[in-house]
């Protein structure tokens, strides 16, 4: 494994030179890159993975040095926000090396934000190191506060470990946002409890509609709980004040007058958010997905490995962005039992 200094030296000078920003054919500025650093995970959430998942052979994965080089090429082209995700990003071996190396872009001002989406299982171990690398905000996925239910949803997870991880992150001064998938008949009785718990600890909480990605054992239709219904339920109990969108992301936020905290709603099915999409997604094999909800993808591994110059890579990025589609075609109903895309969420990291 190369040292952090070696990783930084591998960056082509091109990556630091001022270059044209990435603009797609619909005039959307791509300023946000999400990178799935592994397809593996220590959980098997029922809406995300089947119990019997087949993972990529380790030799197919980009090395941490290659991931750094790819991220740095995007940063050179004006990407300002980088989210490390997975699978479970914090189970990848030596992953802190990548965070340490990428933090140089925060120091230089090229990058505004380095962040991570995690299931929280490894946070106790890594929270202070993440904070030291300049990670200021993280998303932790948590769908229930009941230990038995947590086990049922994640199949393999331990709620206490995740709660300890969240506490470690808060102690390290990291802002934590909770992401919860709204699951009909599973956690619909806990929404208010989760909101009050999160807001009590100063954390925002975002609810997500289950998305039709990859084959899983349970039916998506059975899991799907439209957030329009969740919001209606919350209005019986709380005063919700709509907030201006400040993130440019898919979540729409409200402030809860009674708690003072914020709730986000990510509604790919009931409200399509594609018109403001500023992001692309890179997998751990160097495949670039221009849209979460479409199959089209571009291989960046071959141009990355073809040359030590970033020129072929940057040309491949430009060609890929020209194919960024206008939007996704997610739909969940009884008649549509097949997933909209064949890959699981763990491939592209949500
Ligand atoms: N393992 C990390 C975690 O769970 O936070 C990062 C990867 S996970 C794929 C990213 C997010 O996608 C999680 O918040 C998870 O709940 C969400 N997710 C996974 N499958 C989903 C699906 N089919 N529909 C909606 N959200 C999904
Ligand atoms: Fe793992 Fe995250 Fe998928 Fe759950 S949602 S199985 S934690 S990748």
């Amino acid at each position: 494994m190369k040292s952090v200094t070696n990783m930084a030296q591998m960056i082509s000078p091109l990556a630091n030179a001022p270059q044209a920003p990435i603009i797609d054919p619909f005039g959307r500025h791509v300023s946000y890159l999400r990178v799935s650093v592994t397809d593996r995970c220590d959980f098997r959430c029922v809406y995300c993975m089947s119990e019997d998942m087949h993972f990529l052979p380790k030799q197919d994965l980009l090395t941490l040095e290659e991931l750094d080089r790819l991220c740095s090429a995007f940063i050179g082209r004006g990407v300002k926000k980088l989210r490390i995700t997975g699978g479970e990003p914090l189970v990848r071996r030596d992953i802190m090396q990548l965070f340490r190396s990428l933090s140089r872009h925060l120091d230089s001002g090229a990058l505004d934000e380095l962040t991570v989406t995690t299931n929280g299982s490894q946070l106790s171990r890594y929270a202070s190191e993440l904070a030291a690398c300049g990670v200021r905000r993280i998303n932790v996925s948590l769908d229930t506060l009941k230990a038995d239910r947590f086990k049922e949803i994640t199949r393999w997870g331990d709620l206490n470990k995740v709660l300890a991880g969240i506490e470690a992150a808060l102690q390290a001064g990291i802002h934590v946002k909770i992401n919860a998938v709204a699951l009909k008949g599973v956690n619909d009785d806990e929404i208010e409890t989760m909101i009050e718990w999160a807001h009590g600890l100063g954390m925002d909480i975002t609810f997500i509609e289950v998305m039709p990605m990859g084959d899983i054992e349970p039916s998506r239709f059975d899991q799907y709980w439209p957030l329009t219904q969740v919001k209606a339920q919350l209005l019986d109990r709380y005063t919700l004040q709509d907030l201006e969108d400040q993130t440019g992301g898919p979540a729409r936020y409200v402030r809860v007058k009674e708690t003072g905290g914020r709730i986000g709603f990510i509604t790919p099915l009931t409200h399509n958010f594609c018109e403001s999409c500023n992001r692309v997604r890179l997998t751990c094999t160097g495949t670039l997905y221009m849209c979460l909800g479409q199959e089209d993808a571009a291989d960046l591994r071959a141009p990355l490995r073809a040359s030590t110059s970033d020129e072929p890579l940057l040309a491949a990025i430009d060609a890929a962005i020209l194919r960024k589609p206008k939007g996704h075609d997610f739909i969940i109903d009884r008649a549509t039992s097949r997933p909209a895309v064949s890959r699981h969420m763990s491939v592209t990291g949500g």
Side-chain angles (χ1 to χ4, degrees), residues 40-45 47-49 86-88 118-119 141 154 345-346:
R40 289 168 194 252
C41 186
D42 51 347
F43 292 2
R44 291 287 181 280
C45 300
Y47 47 78
C48 179
M49 292 193 181
E88 175 45 42
T118 173
N119 65 23
S141 305
T154 62
M345 187 71 103
S346 50

Side-chain angles (χ1 to χ4, degrees), residues 201-265:
L201 290 170
M203 303 184 291
D204 288 342
I205 180 164
T206 292
F207 295 102
I208 307 173
E209 283 172 350
V210 74
M211 294 177 228
M213 301 191 64
D215 270 324
I216 53 165
E217 290 90 1
S219 148
R220 301 265 185 220
F221 186 80
D222 291 342
Q223 296 177 336
Y224 175 50
W225 187 23
L227 289 184
T228 41
Q229 291 178 16
V230 179
K231 209 169 170 181
Q233 180 177 314
L234 291 177
L235 279 167
D236 286 342
R237 173 140 177 195
Y238 300 117
T239 316
L240 305 181
Q241 301 160 329
D242 284 328
L243 295 173
E244 280 285 299
D245 174 36
Q246 289 170 343
T247 61
R252 294 289 164 264
Y253 282 94
V254 297
R255 186 166 305 283
V256 181
K257 201 168 155 219
E258 291 78 0
T259 64
R262 299 196 315 163
I263 306 176
F265 298 94

Side-chain angles (χ1 to χ4, degrees), residues 16 68 72 75 79-84 98-116 129-137:
N16 291 326
D68 180 291
S72 300
I75 294 166
V79 160
K80 289 290 188 188
K81 179 170 173 179
L82 197 59
R83 178 175 298 279
I84 306 298
L98 181 65
F99 281 97
R100 280 195 292 276
S101 166
L102 290 171
S103 70
R104 73 187 182 283
H105 296 297
L106 292 170
D107 297 339
S108 75
L111 191 63
D112 289 343
E113 189 172 9
L114 175 60
T115 184
V116 58
E129 225 174 327
L130 286 169
C133 293
V135 173
R136 298 280 165 261
R137 300 192 305 163

Side-chain angles (χ1 to χ4, degrees), residues 18 60 83 90 163 217 233-234 253 267 291 313:
D60 285 3
R83 178 175 298 279
L90 300 184
L163 294 177
E217 290 90 1
Q233 180 177 314
L234 291 177
Y253 282 94
T267 54
C291 173
L313 173 62

